[in-house]
Amino acid sequence: MLKSDWPPSPPHIQLHTDAIDIWLVGLEQSDAVRAKLWPLLNDEEQARAKRFYFDIHRHHFIVGRGLLRILLGRYLEVAPEKIVFAYGDHGKPYLPNTTLNFNISHSYEMALLAFTQGRELGVDIEQIRPLEDAAAIARMNFSAKEVAEYTAVPDDQKPLAFYNCWTRKEAFIKAIGEGLSCPLDSFDVTLVPGEPAELLQVKGSLDEARKWQLHTLNPVERYVGAIIATGQDWHLNCRQWRDSDFST
């Protein structure tokens, strides 16, 4: 796992209504860890894991979904294998009959898992890497304002600017549960490196944007993320799930 300065998991976790807990986890785990997590998955999840063509994708899914169940179980004080998911119209998973909300994102060998009480939220993580067609992707998906700002950024800052924008937009569409049915150019976010993360407008509405709070995340070297949730009265608890925690 790449080195992160996020603190390790505490002995006991409790989620307060004015907080969002976000966990960083390395998806590259041993056969022994995956064997421990496999029984926590239900029949549908195990069948889904078996459908992955590449072993690495199957392995990452097992670790990510297994840890999601472990953490949800700790927050809800139930056995991880007893967690029952429901799904929204666009496939976003949620827990019925509880105020606990969650979201998960992964990129290559890293994942972020976010949890909150009574708020809508979305999270995204991406590995920062050069893209030859980044400018074309930006023109196809970013708003006119975002394209102009991205174009004006110095070349050495363009990779981070691109992924700042991408993760913030992905986090928002995940939070509202609409997925890619929500046009990415229908809302604006900030993207210039060093400037605060902010949702600027949604379909021309400043009031709608003000309902949300957006933060950038720097969980580990060469990765950037974003977290967004409703309300202005919450703070972040950033933690990392260490490989050794799987043995406890």
Side-chain angles (χ1 to χ4, degrees):
M1 179 176 175
L2 298 174
K3 185 178 180 180
S4 173
D5 59 3
W6 285 14
S9 55
H12 306 285
I13 60 174
Q14 183 178 6
L15 186 58
H16 298 282
T17 56
D18 63 346
I20 291 177
D21 287 358
I22 187 161
W23 298 78
L24 171 70
V25 59
L27 297 174
E28 291 288 337
Q29 298 294 331
S30 66
D31 291 344
V33 167
R34 291 194 300 274
K36 180 179 179 181
L37 297 174
W38 180 256
L40 304 183
L41 276 58
N42 64 20
D43 291 344
E44 185 277 330
E45 291 166 331
Q46 292 183 357
R48 179 178 171 186
K50 292 176 180 177
R51 288 195 295 270
F52 284 105
Y53 184 81
F54 293 105
D55 288 345
I56 189 172
H57 297 151
R58 179 168 58 256
H59 294 167
H60 287 180
F61 174 80
I62 294 168
V63 174
R65 185 53 68 103
L67 179 58
L68 174 63
R69 285 182 167 274
I70 288 173
L71 288 171
L72 287 172
R74 291 190 179 185
Y75 286 119
L76 296 171
E77 298 183 338
V78 300
E81 61 271 23
K82 299 297 185 181
I83 300 293
V84 177
F85 296 104
Y87 295 87
D89 293 340
H90 298 280
K92 182 180 180 181
Y94 66 95
L95 299 176
N97 305 316
T98 178
T99 60
L100 180 64
N101 290 331
F102 67 91
N103 203 233
I104 182 171
S105 177
H106 62 85
S107 179
Y108 291 85
E109 76 271 34
M110 307 305 297
L112 292 176
L113 295 85
F115 304 86
T116 190
Q117 292 280 9
R119 303 175 189 275
E120 298 301 324
L121 85 164
V123 66
D124 193 59
I125 185 174
E126 295 290 342
Q127 186 185 64
I128 302 171
R129 60 200 186 279
L131 290 174
E132 292 184 0
D133 54 350
I137 295 174
R139 289 193 298 271
M140 291 173 56
N141 295 282
F142 295 177
S143 69
K145 174 180 174 58
E146 292 162 346
V147 171
E149 291 193 349
Y150 173 74
T151 303
V153 167
D155 288 346
D156 64 334
Q157 296 185 29
K158 274 187 164 57
L160 179 54
F162 178 89
Y163 287 109
N164 277 346
C165 191
W166 190 266
T167 55
R168 293 167 191 180
K169 293 176 97 56
E170 283 287 320
F172 179 65
I173 64 173
K174 292 173 70 177
I176 62 177
E178 295 183 11
L180 292 177
S181 66
C182 174
L184 289 175
D185 61 356
S186 65
F187 58 96
D188 294 337
V189 297
T190 57
L191 59 87
V192 177
E195 294 185 0
E198 187 178 354
L199 179 64
L200 299 172
Q201 63 86 19
V202 179
K203 298 180 180 178
S205 172
L206 300 179
D207 290 338
E208 182 63 29
R210 294 189 185 104
K211 296 177 182 178
W212 300 86
Q213 185 180 164
L214 176 64
H215 286 271
T216 193
L217 301 168
N218 301 108
V220 68
E221 186 180 4
R222 301 198 306 275
Y223 283 80
V224 67
I227 179 81
I228 191 168
T230 49
Q232 302 293 327
D233 56 342
W234 54 266
H235 64 274
L236 276 176
N237 295 320
C238 297
R239 299 160 173 166
Q240 65 171 304
W241 184 273
R242 300 169 301 184
D243 296 353
S244 60
D245 292 332
F246 282 107
S247 60
T248 60

